[in-house]
Amino acid sequence: MFAQSLTSRVMAYAEGHSVGTEPYYTAISDMSVVRHLRPTDLRPVLYRPILCLVLQGAKQTTFGETVVTFSQGQSVIVSLELPTFARVVQASADSPYLALSLHIDISLLKELAAEIEDLSQDKEPPHAVAAGEADDAIVNAAERLFDLIDKPAAAQILRPLVMREIHFWLLSAGHGELLRQIARNNGHSARISEAATYIRLNYKDALRIAELAKVAGMSESAFHQHFKSVCGTSPLQFQKRLRLLEARRLIIAEDLSVSAAAMSVGYESPTQFSREFARMFGSPPRKHRHMTDSDQSPMSTAMSY
């Protein structure tokens, strides 16, 4: 079994805390656990920059025409906030999908990159989501971090040191090329990452592709091409998914009306909003008003991994 000791302890923790399909945040800041007892349907999700260690089972994410499957023994690196679609493809009551996740601190990555003289560089264009064999060094460090869950005094001192170590290993991971480019702030992909962050922060506003392309130092056609290569979708579709994910949250968590949610995320036409919402989530927005994210809707929108 992959990382048998860590897997057994994380499973015991998940069972002891009734961890379900939503990320369960532990006493260690930025560390969470998720467990699925069965495969799921494809659902929209919003990924954050994370490192995910898959301890059991398998999951699949789809962005654009790119499909990434990550299974037991692999780590997944998500390098930027990304609205995408995902599903658990291997899980059962006897052998659940089990994953341990850490948020990636981009500022810390940049600080470390400035201290490293030589960072490797891949020839292949990087993607926002990349899976590869879990490095022993990262697994070892993650296990030591997990050990601190019930040691608050030690965690206060040691957590920053272990997180710094993990971020160092991320910069040398075989599937960490986009992180390396972001940390060094070089290459087209790093500029696309900045553009994606800008869209995420300003998702309510009208999107001006010409301005984004100019800031990125690209023509509009090159900007579209590189954006789709990294993020799997066009800038406009990227923005639309962000708007709809936030609108659904407002409808469910804050009980906003459909028209109020539409206006809050930048839509001028409630009719267009309802049509695009139903296309993404499989049902019109009014049917989501009394849902919770614990409802077993095949198109729920948890921040997942």
Side-chain angles (χ1 to χ4, degrees):
M1 179 189 292
F2 168 71
Q4 184 170 3
S5 173
L6 177 60
T7 300
S8 298
R9 281 148 58 204
V10 173
M11 181 64 75
Y13 178 89
E15 292 174 348
H17 292 77
S18 300
V19 174
T21 59
E22 306 303 320
Y24 182 92
Y25 284 87
T26 70
I28 300 297
S29 178
D30 294 334
M31 173 182 274
S32 54
V33 175
V34 74
R35 179 179 61 150
H36 286 266
L37 302 181
R38 61 184 65 85
T40 65
D41 294 312
L42 198 66
R43 61 179 67 181
V45 296
L46 177 60
Y47 281 122
R48 312 285 189 187
I50 55 168
L51 164 69
C52 172
L53 295 177
V54 183
L55 303 174
Q56 270 188 189
K59 197 168 186 178
Q60 193 173 80
T61 186
T62 302
F63 52 108
E65 298 177 357
T66 302
V67 178
V68 178
T69 302
F70 33 102
S71 55
Q72 183 183 62
Q74 291 190 307
S75 66
V76 185
I77 295 175
V78 182
S79 300
L80 50 83
E81 292 196 30
L82 185 72
T84 183
F85 296 83
R87 62 176 178 169
V88 173
V89 294
Q90 183 181 332
S92 68
D94 293 333
S95 184
Y97 171 81
L98 185 69
L100 184 66
S101 178
L102 291 170
H103 283 197
I104 294 174
D105 185 338
I106 300 299
S107 297
L108 178 55
L109 277 178
K110 291 183 176 181
E111 176 188 326
L112 291 171
E115 301 176 14
I116 302 173
E117 292 185 3
D118 182 35
L119 287 176
S120 61
Q121 184 171 342
D122 294 343
K123 295 181 180 179
E124 294 296 322
H127 295 297
V129 182
E133 184 177 354
D135 297 331
D136 290 341
I138 288 180
V139 174
N140 179 269
E143 186 166 8
R144 284 185 277 114
L145 191 63
F146 189 81
D147 284 344
L148 299 174
I149 282 180
D150 57 355
K151 303 178 180 70
Q156 185 175 1
I157 303 299
L158 298 178
R159 176 195 167 278
L161 301 177
V162 181
M163 288 294 287
R164 188 176 179 87
E165 177 188 348
I166 290 173
H167 281 65
F168 171 84
W169 293 122
L170 280 172
L171 285 172
S172 61
H175 50 303
E177 176 59 22
L178 183 53
L179 282 183
R180 287 189 284 274
Q181 291 193 19
I182 292 172
R184 279 286 172 85
N185 197 30
N186 61 6
H188 292 309
S189 298
R191 294 197 290 274
I192 291 300
S193 173
E194 292 178 357
T197 298
Y198 178 87
I199 296 171
R200 194 263 303 168
L201 293 174
N202 301 278
Y203 68 91
K204 299 178 184 180
D205 301 334
L207 196 58
R208 297 176 175 84
I209 300 298
E211 292 182 10
L212 284 174
K214 184 177 180 180
V215 171
M218 305 177 195
S219 66
E220 289 188 46
S221 60
F223 178 77
H224 268 280
Q225 178 183 347
H226 286 291
F227 194 98
K228 190 169 184 179
S229 174
V230 172
C231 300
T233 188
S234 71
L236 288 171
Q237 189 70 23
F238 187 94
Q239 180 194 42
K240 181 189 298 184
R241 290 177 181 176
L242 288 172
R243 285 179 168 183
L244 293 172
L245 284 165
E246 175 61 10
R248 184 179 184 274
R249 187 195 69 80
L250 292 172
I251 290 170
I252 293 175
E254 300 188 21
D255 199 30
L256 260 65
S257 67
V258 172
S259 59
M263 292 181 62
S264 293
V265 300
Y267 275 88
E268 296 181 359
S269 167
T271 300
Q272 180 186 2
F273 167 75
S274 295
R275 182 171 60 250
E276 293 181 352
F277 188 103
R279 187 179 300 129
M280 182 164 172
F281 298 115
S283 58
R286 55 185 167 74
K287 288 193 175 182
H288 293 246
R289 290 210 62 196
H290 302 292
M291 284 185 181
T292 67
D293 277 330
S294 61
D295 292 335
Q296 295 303 309
S297 167
M299 297 298 276
S300 66
T301 60
M303 192 283 285
S304 186
Y305 55 84

